[in-house]
Amino acid sequence: MRSFLRVFLLGIVIIGLGYLGACFYTKDNTSQVSQAFNNYNILVKREPRYVKIDNKDAKDKDGYGNYTYNLKSYDENGKEHPIEFMGMGKLKQDHYLKLDTKGSYVYSYKEVFKKDIPSDVYTKLNL
């Protein structure tokens, strides 16, 4: 009975450490697997991030006019995170978006004005 309990507890610890490792690895990874993992990850919180649209790197991967953007985003504290999301059509150059994210997964985006962006984030977006 004791050996079963040890093996069981060791398995729980290994699974827990693997889950924590996956959480740290996928938080800022923009692959589709990482985005799907972040969507259901209970350890990653939803937070807004801000981006400035740059159409030179936008790609129409599916051929239907849905452009994929791979940009630098900033959270409300000014920390930089890579982000990849799909816009419905080509978005307006040099406009600012507020993304509703959970890790690297983007739920939605909306256009915001300068006054709605924290000042340190606005400064970093325009460097």
Side-chain angles (χ1 to χ4, degrees):
M1 182 67 176
R2 286 186 182 187
S3 64
F4 172 75
L5 187 58
R6 287 181 186 167
V7 170
F8 180 74
L9 291 176
L10 181 62
I12 295 294
V13 168
I14 290 173
I15 289 171
L17 290 175
Y19 183 74
L20 286 174
C23 292
F24 287 116
Y25 175 75
T26 62
K27 184 167 181 4
D28 284 333
N29 194 329
T30 60
S31 71
Q32 288 183 350
V33 172
S34 297
Q35 288 179 7
F37 183 77
N38 283 327
N39 186 23
Y40 298 107
N41 187 349
I42 60 173
L43 299 178
V44 176
K45 64 178 182 169
R46 278 179 91 154
E47 63 183 354
R49 293 189 185 165
Y50 299 91
V51 297
K52 183 177 182 181
I53 297 300
D54 185 9
N55 282 322
K56 71 177 180 178
D57 295 329
K59 295 183 176 100
D60 184 9
K61 292 183 179 179
D62 62 4
Y64 292 106
N66 299 320
Y67 286 84
T68 301
Y69 292 88
N70 199 345
L71 302 169
K72 288 188 268 184
S73 68
Y74 296 92
D75 60 18
E76 291 185 325
N77 299 324
K79 187 175 176 191
E80 181 180 325
H81 304 275
I83 198 86
E84 183 176 319
F85 66 98
M86 184 177 288
M88 302 306 286
K90 199 167 210 178
L91 302 174
K92 296 176 184 174
Q93 179 70 23
D94 295 331
H95 282 233
Y96 301 100
L97 296 180
K98 180 179 181 180
L99 308 174
D100 179 21
T101 65
K102 185 172 180 184
S104 60
Y105 182 78
V106 178
Y107 287 103
S108 64
Y109 62 87
K110 68 177 184 175
E111 188 172 346
V112 292
F113 298 105
K114 175 185 174 182
K115 64 180 176 136
D116 300 325
I117 302 173
S119 61
D120 58 334
V121 173
Y122 180 77
T123 304
K124 290 181 179 183
L125 285 171
N126 288 306
L127 290 179

